[in-house]
Amino acid sequence: GPFAPRLWPVLLAFCAMYASRESTLWAALVTGLWLDAAHATVVASAADPVPSAVPIIGPHVLACLAGAWPVLELRAALYRRNVLAIAFAAGTCAAASALAFVALAGIRAAYADAVPLWGTGSGAAAVGIDLGSALYTAVLGLLPARLLHETLPAWDFATAGPRFSPGVRIGRDP
């Protein structure tokens, strides 16, 4: 069908569950830049009748930031060491990101684009497909979440002492 699981929400949710707020927002920014660069948009102008593919930087950046935000707010209520919590956070991240992307693309389509950034069809259909993909991501994200939990020591997240204070980590002297 039209639904496709994505790995980036699982990774971003994992970072949001363990990393500091600033690190998570930077990870969301980098993820959004990567997604914007990877998804070029076909643009045609009156001066040049041949359409060209141009990456539009911004919509995925803001959408990834919007996707990371609810996970940052929910992480205090979730048990971090549980892979189901990471899968739930990944689904939440993907859903919030999808809603923000379609909203931003809709605003842009109102004044700049003949074809919206989500492609052909209505915004409601794009939201429905993205929410289905978010659910699919949450279900299939259990395996990558388990693998990410196995690599937790390699990530070197701040995990001891006052919450996310610099230099305080398990197994290190201050």
Side-chain angles (χ1 to χ4, degrees):
F3 307 118
R6 298 178 180 105
L7 187 58
W8 67 264
V10 178
L11 184 59
L12 188 56
F14 178 76
C15 288
M17 291 291 282
Y18 288 101
S20 67
R21 186 173 294 270
E22 293 81 18
S23 297
T24 299
L25 294 177
W26 276 106
L29 181 105
V30 169
T31 303
L33 284 172
W34 176 70
L35 288 171
D36 278 332
H39 296 93
T41 302
V42 176
V43 176
S45 65
D48 186 14
V50 178
S52 59
V54 177
I56 297 174
I57 304 298
H60 281 104
V61 171
L62 295 173
C64 286
L65 289 169
W69 190 260
V71 179
L72 287 172
E73 296 300 320
L74 286 172
R75 71 180 175 180
L78 297 173
Y79 181 65
R80 296 176 192 210
R81 299 277 181 179
N82 190 342
V83 294
L84 291 174
I86 301 295
F88 172 77
T92 303
C93 178
S97 177
L99 291 173
F101 178 78
V102 171
L104 291 167
I107 292 169
R108 182 177 164 80
Y111 71 89
D113 294 330
V115 177
L117 293 176
W118 63 75
T120 58
S122 69
V127 167
I129 290 170
D130 285 346
L131 290 179
S133 294
L135 181 62
Y136 202 18
T137 297
V139 171
L140 292 181
L142 290 170
L143 180 62
R146 178 70 181 142
L147 295 174
L148 286 170
H149 270 285
E150 294 297 323
T151 65
L152 190 58
W155 289 83
D156 200 28
F157 291 126
T159 56
R163 187 160 177 101
F164 303 122
S165 65
V168 179
R169 304 191 193 287
I170 290 178
R172 290 192 179 180
D173 294 328

